[in-house]
Structure formats: C-alpha cells, structure tokens
C-alpha cells in the first residue's frame, strides 16, 4: 500500500507550468507522479476565480493544515493517572480539569 504524500510547492509549480501549456490533466498527473484525481482535486480546491497559482495554492493548503484537529498524544504516565482517578470514582470532566 502506498504511503500518503501531500502535494508539495515544487509539484504545484510543475502543475502551474504544465497547465499554462494546456497539457491534459492525465498527462500532468503522469509527469508529476500523482493520480489524476489528485490533480483535479488540487485544481478545484486551489484555483481562484480564473487561474491556478502555486503560491496561493500553498497558502491555502497551509491554512487548511493549521485548521485540522490533531489527535492528542497521551503518554503512559498520564494514562496511569487517568485510570487511577477513574478507579477512585472521579468523573471524566473533573479529570480533564486536572490536566
């Protein structure tokens, strides 16, 4: 199974240049090494009123990345503390307030 790879700024510049030369999407996808659906999605998400620009696309992608909610990492020590508090009868709400 292939690992998920985000579209980089360099690839966005390639897409921009190839799109300017009116290269078909399937050919662009083959050249940059992504599936054509990824290229279509990239263009639809990041194309402004009329044109696709790599700088603006990168800003949009960075902004969306910051908005994504990341899953918190809980270390083993915190897990033990939480389970001890639960065994003592503390409510989950009160445990959250402790951390």
């Amino acid at each position: 199974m292939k690992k998920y790879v985000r579209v980089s700024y360099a690839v966005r510049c390639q897409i921009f240049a190839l799109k300017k030369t009116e290269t078909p999407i399937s050919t662009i996808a083959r050249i940059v090494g992504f599936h054509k659906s990824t290229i279509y999605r990239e263009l639809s998400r990041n194309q402004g009123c009329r044109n696709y620009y790599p700088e603006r696309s990168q800003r949009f992608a960075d902004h969306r990345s910051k908005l994504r909610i990341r899953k918190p990492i809980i270390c083993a020590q915190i897990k033990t503390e939480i389970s001890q508090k639960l065994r003592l009868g503390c409510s989950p709400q009160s445990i959250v307030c402790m951390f």
Side-chain angles (χ1 to χ4, degrees):
M1 185 176 187
K2 250 184 164 180
K3 189 177 184 306
Y4 173 76
V5 179
R6 289 195 173 105
V7 179
S8 68
Y9 179 70
V11 172
R12 287 187 170 100
C13 290
Q14 280 184 311
I15 293 170
F16 172 72
L18 292 166
K19 189 161 170 26
K20 244 180 158 189
T21 62
E22 298 179 4
T23 308
I25 300 295
S26 55
T27 308
I28 293 173
R30 199 168 43 254
I31 291 170
V32 297
F34 283 88
H35 194 273
K36 65 181 178 181
S37 66
T38 304
I39 305 302
Y40 277 114
R41 188 178 328 109
E42 173 69 18
L43 292 172
S44 68
R45 278 184 180 172
N46 299 318
Q47 194 160 327
C49 296
R50 286 176 239 156
N51 297 322
Y52 175 84
Y53 294 104
E55 297 85 11
R56 181 176 47 198
S57 301
Q58 188 66 43
R59 277 196 316 269
F60 288 163
D62 291 343
H63 180 69
R64 280 192 302 272
S65 173
K66 288 177 186 172
L67 294 177
R68 237 178 259 119
I69 297 173
R70 304 208 188 314
K71 187 176 179 181
I73 299 171
I74 300 175
C75 66
Q77 180 186 0
I78 293 176
K79 281 184 182 179
T80 16
E81 286 183 41
I82 291 172
S83 39
Q84 286 173 353
K85 303 275 185 205
L86 287 170
R87 272 187 250 130
L88 291 173
C90 295
S91 70
Q93 290 82 6
S94 64
I95 295 172
V96 169
C97 292
M98 292 177 194
F99 291 99

